[in-house]
């Protein structure tokens, strides 16, 4: 249950006698003023209690126009190294709960006051018939997209981006890909005996380019630090380039390349260095810092982003939940971006010693 700032919630505390909850007990009642504790996102449970939905948003059977819709895609049969990303959606949802208790930083606003977030649960995937999974993901995503909602998917391994891209391209046409990752994922795909697409988390973007649903000339891959012989025309900003040029310059180039094209944002959590995101299937040294990633995500507001996903969180290899928290924060930043587009007015802390001009005050 969620409450608004002006709500008064009555709480009951049962005082037990002799440790027996069934006899000689008394109840103490009190009233809790939600607005006195935190912004409008406060929940009536602790952050470590209650149902797991993203940001404690309502669970919904389907999305409506204007919704920011969360859909889990618990797939990890396409991973080439350590499995476990099928548990990523649950871990990201759990890590998101504390983010719902305070206002955004930077910005100082509550995104849930500006965005109608719904959690659709997880797509139903039949592991007994893996050849049916790509189409099942595509149809689950297209149902959301065709309703006029903005879809943010929680992976799952990175293959899930391929059917998600297909669903978005059915509505928006050819897409520019904004891709944060350690791997370019454009290795040569194989086809099955019936011509079916390979289910592989390292070849799906090559397949998407071959299919014509991704325009490589307007797409950017950021944080890359593995080699592929044929980048297939993608614009690669590897992790060393990010460190050398800085986040602001990288995003300026990404935006210039994408222009006004419909963009799909995909964030493989292994774009971060393993020091910051150990809970992933294929960690690679020398990655982005969380500050670099967040700075670049904050610069994407001007792009026409039509959908996104966060993938490859594998909680079995995580430490203290930091990888899941990174994934949840990436999704949270997209909710904040959506809120800014819907009229949220960001604030900032005053810079010590700086006198603000009238236009900045």
């Amino acid at each position: 249950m969620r409450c608004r700032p002006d709500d008064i919630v009555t709480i009951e505390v049962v005082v037990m006698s002799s440790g027996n909850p069934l006899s000689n007990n008394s109840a103490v009642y009190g009233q809790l003023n939600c607005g006195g504790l935190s912004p409008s996102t406060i929940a009536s449970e602790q952050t470590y209690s209650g149902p797991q939905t993203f940001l404690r948003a309502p669970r919904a059977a389907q999305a409506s126009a204007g919704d920011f819709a969360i859909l889990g895609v618990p797939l990890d049969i396409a991973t080439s190294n350590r499995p476990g990303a099928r548990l990523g959606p649950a871990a990201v949802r759990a890590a998101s709960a504390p983010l719902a208790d305070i206002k955004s930083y930077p910005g100082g606003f509550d995104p849930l006051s500006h965005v109608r977030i719904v959690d659709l649960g997880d797509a139903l995937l039949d592991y007994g018939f893996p050849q049916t999974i790509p189409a099942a993901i595509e149809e689950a995503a297209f149902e959301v997209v065709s309703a006029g909602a903005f879809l943010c998917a929680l992976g799952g391994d990175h293959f899930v981006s391929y059917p998600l891209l297909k669903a978005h391209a059915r509505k928006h046409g050819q897409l520019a890909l904004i891709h944060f990752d350690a791997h370019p994922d454009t290795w040569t795909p194989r086809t099955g005996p019936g011509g079916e697409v390979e289910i592989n988390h390292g070849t799906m973007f090559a397949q998407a380019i071959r299919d014509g649903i991704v325009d490589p000339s307007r797409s950017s891959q950021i944080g890359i630090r593995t080699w592929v012989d044929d980048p297939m025309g993608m614009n690669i900003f590897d992790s060393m380039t990010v460190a050398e040029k800085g986040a602001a310059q990288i995003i300026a180039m990404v935006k210039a390349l994408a222009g006004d094209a419909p963009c799909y944002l995909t964030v493989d959590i292994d774009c971060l260095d393993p020091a910051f995101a150990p809970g992933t299937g294929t960690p690679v040294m020398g990655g982005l810092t969380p500050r670099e990633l967040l700075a670049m995500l904050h610069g994407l507001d001007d792009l026409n982003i039509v959908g996104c996903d966060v993938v490859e969180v594998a909680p079995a290899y995580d430490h203290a939940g930091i990888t899941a928290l990174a994934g949840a924060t990436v999704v949270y930043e997209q909710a904040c971006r959506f809120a800014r587009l819907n009229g949220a007015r960001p604030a900032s802390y005053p810079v010590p010693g700086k006198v603000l001009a009238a236009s900045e005050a």
Side-chain angles (χ1 to χ4, degrees):
M1 187 185 82
R2 306 179 69 86
C3 59
R4 297 180 298 274
D6 296 331
D7 288 346
I8 303 295
V9 177
T10 299
I11 59 174
E12 175 185 351
V13 178
V14 177
V15 181
M16 295 194 303
S17 174
S18 302
N20 183 353
L22 300 178
S23 63
N24 300 320
N25 298 326
S26 59
V28 178
Y29 295 89
Q31 290 186 327
L32 177 69
N33 185 330
C34 292
L37 294 179
S38 75
S40 61
T41 56
I42 189 170
S44 60
E45 298 103 350
Q46 305 94 322
T47 58
Y48 48 85
S49 303
Q52 287 188 356
T53 61
F54 190 80
L55 295 182
R56 297 185 180 272
R59 176 69 184 266
Q62 59 187 29
S64 301
D67 286 349
F68 185 96
I70 302 294
L71 177 68
V73 190
L75 179 77
D76 61 7
I77 64 172
T79 187
S80 57
N81 192 17
R82 305 186 301 192
R86 70 179 61 186
L87 303 179
V92 169
R93 287 184 175 107
S96 75
L99 299 175
D101 266 3
I102 56 176
K103 292 181 179 179
S104 66
Y105 176 83
F109 59 83
D110 171 19
L112 287 163
S113 296
H114 300 271
V115 181
R116 189 170 63 246
I117 299 180
V118 296
D119 193 320
L120 304 174
D122 290 351
L124 183 60
L125 310 177
D126 190 339
Y127 292 96
F129 295 92
Q131 67 274 18
T132 68
I133 288 177
I137 297 172
E138 180 182 346
E139 290 308 313
F142 187 69
E143 181 179 348
V144 179
V145 173
S146 61
F150 180 91
L151 175 60
C152 184
L154 310 178
D157 66 47
H158 213 159
F159 173 79
V160 306
S161 293
Y162 174 69
L164 293 170
L165 281 165
K166 291 183 71 177
H168 285 80
R170 283 165 65 179
K171 178 172 182 179
H172 300 285
Q174 192 177 53
L175 302 162
L177 187 67
I178 311 300
H179 174 203
F180 290 87
D181 204 328
H183 312 87
D185 296 337
T186 51
W187 285 280
T188 302
R190 298 172 298 169
T191 55
E196 62 271 20
V197 172
E198 179 183 17
I199 301 177
N200 186 321
H201 73 162
T203 63
M204 67 286 173
F205 293 141
Q207 186 65 51
I209 293 170
R210 288 183 175 185
D211 291 347
I213 61 177
V214 165
D215 181 352
S217 69
R218 305 185 80 170
S219 300
S220 296
Q221 298 182 305
I222 307 155
I224 304 300
R225 51 195 187 276
T226 48
W227 187 260
V228 64
D229 286 332
D230 182 6
M232 299 195 71
M234 298 285 259
N235 301 288
I236 296 178
F237 302 96
D238 63 22
S239 59
M240 291 184 290
T241 302
V242 174
E244 176 187 345
K245 295 185 178 297
Q249 189 172 346
I250 295 296
I251 287 303
M253 291 187 283
V254 168
K255 290 162 71 172
L257 287 165
D260 60 356
C263 298
Y264 187 87
L265 171 67
T266 180
V267 179
D268 186 327
I269 208 65
D270 72 22
C271 69
L272 295 173
D273 190 86
F276 307 108
T280 191
T282 48
V284 182
M285 291 294 292
L288 304 177
T289 68
R291 188 179 298 115
E292 288 172 329
L293 175 59
L294 290 175
M296 288 185 280
L297 291 175
H298 292 160
L300 296 179
D301 279 13
D302 295 337
L303 289 178
N304 178 24
I305 299 176
V306 298
C308 68
D309 64 52
V310 177
V311 298
E312 298 284 359
V313 173
Y317 318 107
D318 208 358
H319 176 74
I322 60 174
T323 310
L325 176 60
T329 303
V330 170
V331 181
Y332 182 75
E333 289 299 328
Q334 293 314 299
C336 289
R337 182 184 63 82
F338 212 71
R340 290 189 294 270
L341 295 176
N342 286 349
R345 296 173 62 99
S348 60
Y349 289 124
V351 178
K354 178 183 177 182
V355 178
L356 295 180
S359 60
E360 298 178 286

